[in-house]
Amino acid sequence: MSPPSIITGDPFALEPGRCILVVGINPGWPNAEMQKTDCVPAHQAWESGFDGYRTHRRVYFQEMTGEPGRTKNADPRYNGRHFSRLGNTLARALGVAHEHWDAGANARQFFRQRAAILDLIPYWSRNTKNLNLAAALQKDCIRQWCEVVSAFIREKRPQIIVVNNRGEPVVINGMLGCEIAPVAGVGLLGGRTGADNLATPVLAHPFLSRWRITRQTYIEQFTEALRILGVPRPILGP
């Protein structure tokens, strides 16, 4: 009853080679009120063509007017509980956050300017435990989406791909063309999207919204994992 969730924000606006890609396994189904706010208009935009869908989704990380770094999200669809912690934590781990900005404002700027958000399986669900995600890799629609993700990676050349949920390695490997494995001593999974050392590094952490970890500990583990994977720092320039 809802179109797939293809994009969040406007990842096409990112500068090639100066961004990262953040991927989830699949989007969580919203409540009934948010379904009306997002899914119903998305269905209409989907029917009117991709430009309409892109216009509908590009404002997701938009700010209200106000003091920079203290503003609230302008788009009522914004899931602050999920994206504020994820974006703020990654921005600080990568050294591109404003130290005195609120978490949400940091995260939204990060996703507008430095990080693309995509889902490996772009279909909504309430509980992935009831789904056979590995079997989804054989569906024609998912294979086509895999080609789109691969084309996006080639076009935007992200410096690293961060997976926000290491719990589905078969899906991660199948969709990103990698072989992730435990990174010694840091609780993360890592790998590269190809066989040679020039391929895009991939780093997968537990689902951050539910992971009981301090920001500083995360930054330390993230930094150590990059060192072990041989990823030079800084990843993103000023």
Side-chain angles (χ1 to χ4, degrees), residues 87-101 106 109-110:
N88 181 59
T89 301
L90 286 173
R92 295 184 186 281
L94 291 165
V96 294
H98 291 268
E99 186 60 35
H100 301 294
W101 279 26
N106 252 328
Q109 184 190 56
F110 182 63

Side-chain angles (χ1 to χ4, degrees), residues 85-97 99 106 185-186 188 203 205 208 211-228 233 235:
R85 187 185 186 199
L86 176 62
N88 181 59
T89 301
L90 286 173
R92 295 184 186 281
L94 291 165
V96 294
E99 186 60 35
N106 252 328
V186 297
L188 307 178
L203 194 60
H205 61 229
L208 200 55
W211 191 15
R212 297 179 181 273
I213 188 172
T214 67
R215 187 175 70 201
Q216 184 56 42
T217 300
Y218 178 87
I219 292 173
E220 292 171 357
Q221 292 188 3
F222 187 89
T223 302
E224 177 62 10
L226 294 181
R227 186 192 67 79
I228 294 173
R233 291 173 59 89
I235 292 179

Side-chain angles (χ1 to χ4, degrees), residues 20-66:
I20 73 167
L21 174 59
V22 182
V23 297
I25 301 301
N26 79 307
W29 184 256
N31 57 35
E33 180 180 354
M34 194 56 63
Q35 181 184 358
K36 295 178 182 178
T37 303
D38 189 15
C39 296
V40 175
H43 198 286
Q44 296 170 352
W46 184 262
E47 291 178 340
S48 67
F50 184 74
D51 286 343
Y53 182 76
R54 182 183 179 187
T55 298
H56 169 71
R57 296 294 289 174
R58 64 155 45 102
V59 297
Y60 190 89
F61 297 112
Q62 183 177 331
E63 296 289 319
M64 295 181 68
T65 57

Side-chain angles (χ1 to χ4, degrees), residues 144-158:
Q144 292 169 7
W145 177 240
C146 182
E147 293 178 3
V148 173
V149 173
S150 297
F152 182 86
I153 293 171
R154 291 193 301 270
E155 171 68 22
K156 291 300 179 179
R157 306 190 306 277

Side-chain angles (χ1 to χ4, degrees), residues 114-217:
R114 310 304 292 270
I117 284 281
L118 299 174
D119 285 291
L120 297 179
I121 308 292
Y123 291 89
W124 307 90
S125 73
R126 292 186 184 276
N127 184 355
T128 57
K129 293 180 180 179
N130 297 327
L131 302 177
N132 186 348
L133 295 178
L137 299 180
Q138 306 307 315
K139 301 287 186 180
D140 287 342
C141 58
I142 300 301
R143 290 179 175 177
Q144 292 169 7
W145 177 240
C146 182
E147 293 178 3
V148 173
V149 173
S150 297
F152 182 86
I153 293 171
R154 291 193 301 270
E155 171 68 22
K156 291 300 179 179
R157 306 190 306 277
Q159 294 299 301
I160 189 171
I161 300 172
V162 178
V163 184
N164 183 36
N165 190 343
R166 68 177 188 183
E168 296 287 345
V170 173
V171 174
I172 296 169
N173 289 338
M175 292 298 291
L176 297 179
C178 60
E179 291 292 337
I180 57 173
V183 181
V186 297
L188 307 178
L189 302 180
R192 290 182 180 272
T193 57
D196 58 69
N197 289 330
L198 296 178
T200 307
V202 178
L203 194 60
H205 61 229
F207 188 57
L208 200 55
S209 293
R210 299 175 185 170
W211 191 15
R212 297 179 181 273
I213 188 172
T214 67
R215 187 175 70 201
Q216 184 56 42
T217 300

